[in-house]
Amino acid sequence: MSVPAGYYLILAAALFSIGAVGVLIRRSVIVMFMCVELMLNSVNLTLVTFARIQANLDGQVLAFFVIVVAAAEVVVGLALVVNLFRLRASTDADGVGALRA
Amino acid sequence: MTPVLAQATEGGAAELWTFIIVGAVALGSALGLILMRNAVHAALMLVLNFLAIAVLYAVLQAQFLAVIQVIVYAGAIVVLFLFVLMLLGVSREDSLTARVPGQKTMASIVGVLLFVSLAAATAGPFLGDASVCGSEAALEGTGDGEPCLGLAAVNAAEGNLRGVGFLLFTDYVWAFEVTSVLLVIAAIGAIVLGRRREDPAELVEPGSTVLPARPGEDDAAAAPGDGAPDAGAPDAGRPDGRPDAEPSRAEGEERT
Amino acid sequence: MSALAQQLPAGVEIPEIPWAAISPELTLFGAGILVLLLDTAGPRRRTSSVIALAILLGIAALAAIPGGAAPEIVALLVGAGVLQLALTLWLHTRPRLLGAVLTVVALVATIGIAAWQYQAAANGGMVGTESLLADMVAVDGVALFTRFVVAGAGILTVLLGFAYLQDRRIHRGEYYPLLLFTATGMTLLASAADLLMVFLAVEILSLALYVMTGLARRDMASQEGAFKYLLLGAFSSAFLLYGIALVYGATGTTHIATAGVALSDPGTPAGLVFAGIALMLVGFAFKVALVPFHMWTPDVYQGAPTPVTAFMAAATKVAAFAAFLRVFTGGMEQLAWIWVPAVSVLAAITMLVGAALAVVQDDLKRMLGYSAVAHAGYAAIGLVAVSEIGTGATLFYLLAYAIMSLGAFGILTILERRQRKAIAVADLRGLWQSAPSLAVMFALFLLSLAGIPGTVGFIAKFGIVRAAVDAGLVWLAVVLVISSVIAAYFYIRVIVAMFMDDEPAHLADAPVPPASAASTAVSVAAVGVIALGVLPPAVIDLAERAATFAG
């Protein structure tokens, strides 16, 4: 017996949801950012699984582009975090609430 | 063709066990990421998660991505995270207390709902045995009555790396070129935001009329509260008495 | 699969590059790189490197002649070389001014190219409504219209920003390249015929905007706004991407038109279709700021340097809506029964909440931020009308909003220079006495945003109402009117403060610093508001004819 593709999709959905919850509950901006990375990764897992289901490589190419985008995003994001820290020595995202609506 | 088919079915049990073990690791590390109090531990959980997903990629016939995942994600991105964590020295405990009372519970409920709906929507059609290589729609798509072999056949024909490479430089060549813009922006962005100290004179064009700096903007120790929305009251702090020198000249220079 | 398997053994088919179709993107990106290099080089190296570049361009032109290139292209290459040589020699000691001038030149060139493409398309020439470059690019009406608006907004932004950025000591050399790269991302987004290109273009323009928002490195509001933007932007991108993945999973392709047809096939798993549409909708709603996905808007609008805010409000909205239109109205017309109710509800909530929250704001940038949210709701009505009239109405609305918001934020830029801090409503008391022209123009923009007859805002809103009624969405038109009434309250509150209040605020005493470029930009916007408000037919016609999608 083999593994139905749906199992991979369920795993990816679980990882995506965990990442989304993490963004909502964590206060450290760096960890929130890591959770976004987790979400992007779960989407990649979905894409690769669909690539197998659809029997073409397009999904894998899409996942490749997602990795590129994620890398670029992390670079800018971490530069912002470092700068934010220099201005205020704390990762507390609630501090970012001076601007709350 | 037949050896590939045989391989695909024989490897079933191994794939199942791999999926169970690696999937458990992936789930556990993801939960660890959001539950660990220490940010460095969370980053290590993230590495574990990325490595687990890399194994799944290999199982799913995406050998190239599996390698890229290890090199780029586990090797570069998480290292960058760890580097910043170390640089800033924020490995200390950071509290998991909720910002709004009940926020954690709400978020968890939302997460569970998201999971259930996503899992039901995505996995529903793909739980049968035929799903190994495609849904019915995909099977119809192949049309010629061959047994669906999934990606194994595609990869067997040319190899995964060659296949991805060909696609990248034919159908996706424009997307590939466009990512160069993205990378340039990332590089510039990191420089703009990350430069440690800069010459204030560098930011003012020689020979143009410039007003004095705003309060709190010229010194590094800008008060955190500055620029907050409570700017309602008129502030009398403008250093007045600086006549705007040579307006005519400045006007000429601002013409663009 | 079959396509790939056949392609590989027979040798790879390299797609032909339609240079003419992608020339706006190439122009913008190339100019960005050029400005970046010129900025990093010192004055002497700047001159010598530019001379080298001019020689290279000359060689390229010489090589192009036997290559059979059209004489226009040769002339363009030579012209570009001579122009940037002359500019650099003239301004080699003024790097920022040089950057600004080159940026404006590139944007003007983009408008020119877009006009040429439009002309060619109208004559049935090379760029019609076909998809190019392996179905990744669509140079159609929507794409061309967006190019016009984005480039125009960019020009005004450069004019607005120069003196402001100097004063705040944030006039970095990287600003102009980033502006050009953002514009590149926007034009790419508007011409994306593939969901992958949509995703990449969204990321390009967002990434550049994150950096531009955080340009004021020592201003906490700017940094916090930038980080919030980045975090929520990445979060929403994940949703958009998940939606794209599901569409791919259901159809095996990411090409918008093909996937749209395949999605409406009854054999496609319904769960994937619903979830895919819902997730993409969430992603787009974040990008165009529909309630409840608007949380980032006021903070980012307030934190960003004001010229950047102006550009964000004007141009980002157009580009994001262009992609929104292409994916939903263009690609998934058959599935309208799924997404139209959802978007309608979002639009209705957005109009009401945006207007209601704007009323309670005191900071003007924040107020205009919430007003931008409400305007996104108005523009979305044209989307749910799912018709050519609706698409045309949305496009015209976005153009009108671009002009009005550039004008309003432009006034704030000028006032902020005078006051040296953020502007609250109370600061405007008595502006009529101290700066009558500014007060009149600001009043004009606010009236236009409120939709008073005689201004472009009214014409645009009228078009939206017409499209809604046409599509049988009378209730949305009613909500629009209610929202406009609420919104009118705060626009008029500002106007009252400027004209009626006797007791002048501190601002009124401040001497007016010279900013002729910014004043010019604002005046241009004011002329636009009136001209399009009184004599709109030509442009409305243009917008309606632009309401075509590549197949």
Side-chain angles (χ1 to χ4, degrees):
Chain A
M1 63 163 290
S2 190
V3 184
Y7 289 10
Y8 291 98
L9 297 175
I10 293 175
L11 177 65
L15 295 179
F16 189 85
S17 311
I18 292 173
V21 172
V23 174
L24 296 175
I25 64 171
R26 289 303 296 250
R27 301 175 74 198
S28 156
V29 288
I30 296 184
V31 177
M32 285 163 89
F33 205 24
M34 288 185 203
C35 291
V36 172
E37 293 307 309
L38 178 64
M39 291 167 75
L40 288 177
N41 250 275
S42 75
V43 177
N44 272 357
L45 183 56
T46 311
L47 279 168
V48 171
T49 309
F50 278 135
R52 193 168 82 158
I53 291 174
Q54 295 288 348
N56 64 29
L57 286 172
D58 295 49
Q60 295 189 12
V61 176
L62 293 186
F64 170 79
F65 281 112
V66 174
I67 292 178
V68 175
V69 167
E73 221 162 45
V74 166
V75 169
V76 172
L78 289 180
L80 268 173
V81 170
V82 171
N83 203 34
L84 209 57
F85 267 68
R86 288 208 191 119
L87 278 178
R88 161 125 44 100
S90 138
T91 22
D92 202 316
D94 270 358
V96 183
L99 282 169
R100 203 165 315 113
Chain B
M1 280 293 192
T2 31
V4 179
L5 180 60
Q7 212 180 353
T9 42
E10 274 168 23
E15 188 189 336
L16 182 64
W17 282 107
T18 313
F19 176 78
I20 291 173
I21 296 169
V22 177
V25 171
L27 268 183
S29 54
L31 285 173
L33 167 65
I34 67 168
L35 295 177
M36 290 274 178
R37 285 161 173 268
N38 187 319
V40 173
H41 293 170
L44 294 176
M45 286 289 132
L46 195 63
V47 183
L48 194 56
N49 188 277
F50 288 168
L51 292 177
I53 290 180
V55 173
L56 293 180
Y57 286 168
V59 174
L60 288 167
Q61 312 275 354
Q63 292 85 357
F64 173 61
L65 276 183
V67 174
I68 290 289
Q69 170 87 0
V70 174
I71 296 176
V72 176
Y73 259 120
I77 292 185
V78 180
V79 169
L80 207 55
F81 271 113
L82 282 170
F83 181 75
V84 169
L85 281 172
M86 296 302 182
L87 180 77
L88 301 173
V90 283
S91 59
R92 64 180 166 76
E93 300 260 308
D94 98 73
S95 66
L96 273 179
T97 49
R99 272 168 278 181
V100 184
Q103 186 181 5
K104 242 171 99 180
T105 331
M106 283 293 296
S108 308
I109 293 171
V110 169
V112 170
L113 287 177
L114 187 66
F115 167 64
V116 170
S117 44
L118 284 180
T122 56
F126 303 115
L127 288 174
D129 279 341
S131 70
V132 177
C133 55
S135 67
E136 280 172 53
L139 279 173
E140 279 167 25
T142 60
D144 40 8
E146 275 182 31
C148 172
L149 294 172
L151 269 182
V154 177
N155 281 342
E158 280 290 332
N160 181 252
L161 183 53
R162 270 171 73 85
V164 171
F166 277 130
L167 264 187
L168 212 49
F169 289 101
T170 53
D171 287 0
Y172 291 91
V173 67
W174 181 231
F176 184 78
E177 295 299 332
V178 157
T179 47
S180 65
V181 185
L182 198 69
L183 296 178
V184 170
I185 295 174
I188 301 176
I191 293 168
V192 168
L193 297 167
R195 206 171 354 178
R196 184 154 199 114
R197 200 181 311 169
E198 59 211 350
D199 189 2
E202 197 189 303
L203 297 177
V204 179
E205 182 111 326
S208 49
T209 313
V210 177
L211 296 176
R214 293 181 177 204
E217 285 225 322
D218 218 14
D219 48 340
D226 268 2
D230 60 342
D235 119 12
R238 184 181 182 277
D240 233 319
R242 185 185 185 282
D244 291 290
E246 308 151 293
S248 57
R249 179 175 155 229
E251 258 172 42
E253 279 166 359
E254 272 171 3
R255 196 176 358 100
T256 46
Chain C
M1 161 206 171
S2 48
L4 181 71
Q6 285 158 11
Q7 230 175 55
L8 292 187
V12 181
E13 198 181 308
I14 306 291
E16 199 176 315
I17 310 289
W19 294 106
I22 58 173
S23 47
E25 284 85 7
L26 295 180
T27 308
L28 291 170
F29 183 60
I33 296 287
L34 177 70
V35 174
L36 191 66
L37 292 179
L38 288 181
D39 186 76
T40 30
R44 198 179 313 155
R45 255 184 273 159
R46 196 168 291 139
T47 318
S48 49
S49 58
V50 161
I51 291 173
L53 191 68
I55 293 171
L56 271 180
L57 278 172
I59 293 171
L62 281 179
I65 296 172
E72 294 97 322
I73 295 183
V74 178
L76 256 162
L77 285 173
V78 173
V82 171
L83 182 66
Q84 51 109 354
L85 188 61
L87 284 173
T88 313
L89 290 177
W90 173 40
L91 292 170
H92 67 286
T93 53
R94 308 276 316 269
R96 300 296 181 272
L97 191 54
L98 176 64
V101 173
L102 282 176
T103 306
V104 170
V105 168
L107 291 165
V108 170
T110 306
I111 293 184
I113 294 170
W116 168 62
Q117 288 179 332
Y118 186 80
Q119 202 64 34
N123 297 338
M126 48 93 217
V127 277
T129 50
E130 77 253 48
S131 297
L132 303 151
L133 252 181
D135 285 343
M136 288 280 158
V137 186
V139 182
D140 54 13
V142 177
L144 291 177
F145 192 83
T146 311
R147 281 175 187 171
F148 284 124
V149 181
V150 166
I155 294 171
L156 292 189
T157 307
V158 172
L159 296 182
L160 283 178
F162 197 85
Y164 177 91
L165 296 171
Q166 293 271 23
D167 284 351
R168 280 192 69 179
R169 312 287 195 274
I170 52 174
H171 207 172
R172 277 163 227 284
E174 294 89 350
Y175 172 76
Y176 295 107
L178 284 171
L179 189 71
L180 286 167
F181 295 153
T182 317
T184 313
M186 289 166 179
T187 53
L188 280 173
L189 182 56
S191 62
D194 192 283
L195 290 171
L196 173 65
M197 285 306 298
V198 170
F199 174 69
L200 284 178
V202 160
E203 287 300 319
I204 288 172
L205 81 89
S206 308
L207 209 60
L209 280 176
Y210 305 149
V211 180
M212 282 166 75
T213 307
L215 204 64
R217 281 185 50 209
R218 280 157 187 175
D219 179 10
M220 203 64 189
S222 167
Q223 294 303 306
E224 285 171 347
F227 191 77
K228 207 166 192 178
Y229 195 11
L230 182 129
L231 200 62
L232 288 174
F235 190 63
S236 69
S237 294
F239 280 90
L240 177 66
L241 195 63
Y242 209 135
I244 293 173
L246 296 193
V247 169
Y248 167 71
T251 65
T253 178
T254 47
H255 184 240
I256 292 172
T258 319
V261 172
L263 279 179
S264 42
D265 185 290
T268 313
L272 284 182
V273 177
F274 277 105
I277 291 178
L279 288 167
M280 283 204 293
L281 187 58
V282 171
F284 275 114
F286 257 108
K287 298 296 175 197
V288 304
L290 294 180
V291 177
F293 309 106
H294 68 292
M295 309 80 84
W296 57 273
T297 319
D299 293 347
V300 174
Y301 276 32
Q302 189 185 8
T306 313
V308 176
T309 312
F311 189 59
M312 225 188 291
T316 313
K317 212 148 253 181
V318 191
F321 259 107
F324 205 166
L325 282 167
R326 185 187 301 284
V327 174
F328 281 82
T329 310
M332 301 198 294
E333 204 176 345
Q334 316 278 318
L335 298 166
W337 59 278
I338 299 177
W339 57 265
V340 160
V343 182
S344 306
V345 171
L346 284 185
I349 304 174
T350 304
M351 288 186 277
L352 295 175
V353 172
L357 286 177
V359 168
V360 296
Q361 302 303 322
D362 215 31
D363 182 277
L364 272 174
K365 252 165 113 180
R366 216 173 163 77
M367 189 196 93
L368 287 177
Y370 277 109
S371 128
V373 172
H375 283 274
Y378 305 149
I381 297 179
L383 182 79
V384 294
V386 199
S387 61
E388 276 192 21
I389 297 179
T391 306
T394 296
L395 287 178
F396 185 75
Y397 198 90
L398 293 166
L399 167 69
Y401 180 70
I403 299 175
M404 302 184 288
S405 61
L406 274 169
F409 282 113
I411 299 272
L412 286 190
T413 308
I414 296 173
L415 292 177
E416 255 186 77
R417 277 193 80 213
R418 295 173 49 164
Q419 190 177 343
R420 338 273 317 125
K421 70 176 180 64
I423 309 282
V425 177
D427 295 329
L428 292 175
R429 286 192 311 255
L431 188 68
W432 163 241
Q433 271 128 35
S434 66
S437 60
L438 280 184
V440 168
M441 281 197 284
F442 199 22
L444 176 69
F445 295 130
L446 292 173
L447 289 175
S448 180
L449 283 167
I452 303 296
T455 60
V456 69
F458 172 76
I459 307 283
K461 253 180 203 157
F462 184 78
I464 291 281
V465 169
R466 194 177 60 134
V469 172
D470 217 51
L473 295 162
V474 180
W475 69 278
L476 270 180
V478 172
V479 175
L480 182 147
V481 173
I482 296 173
S483 161
S484 301
V485 171
I486 302 174
Y489 168 77
F490 59 81
Y491 296 128
I492 288 173
R493 180 173 145 226
V494 174
I495 294 172
V496 166
M498 285 193 298
F499 286 91
M500 313 266 172
D501 240 314
D502 292 335
E503 175 199 351
H506 170 73
L507 178 66
D509 306 330
V512 190
S516 55
S519 316
T520 313
V522 173
S523 314
V524 168
V527 170
V529 165
I530 294 180
L532 290 183
V534 180
L535 286 168
V539 179
I540 289 187
D541 193 44
L542 190 71
E544 271 173 12
R545 271 193 286 145
T548 55
F549 298 102

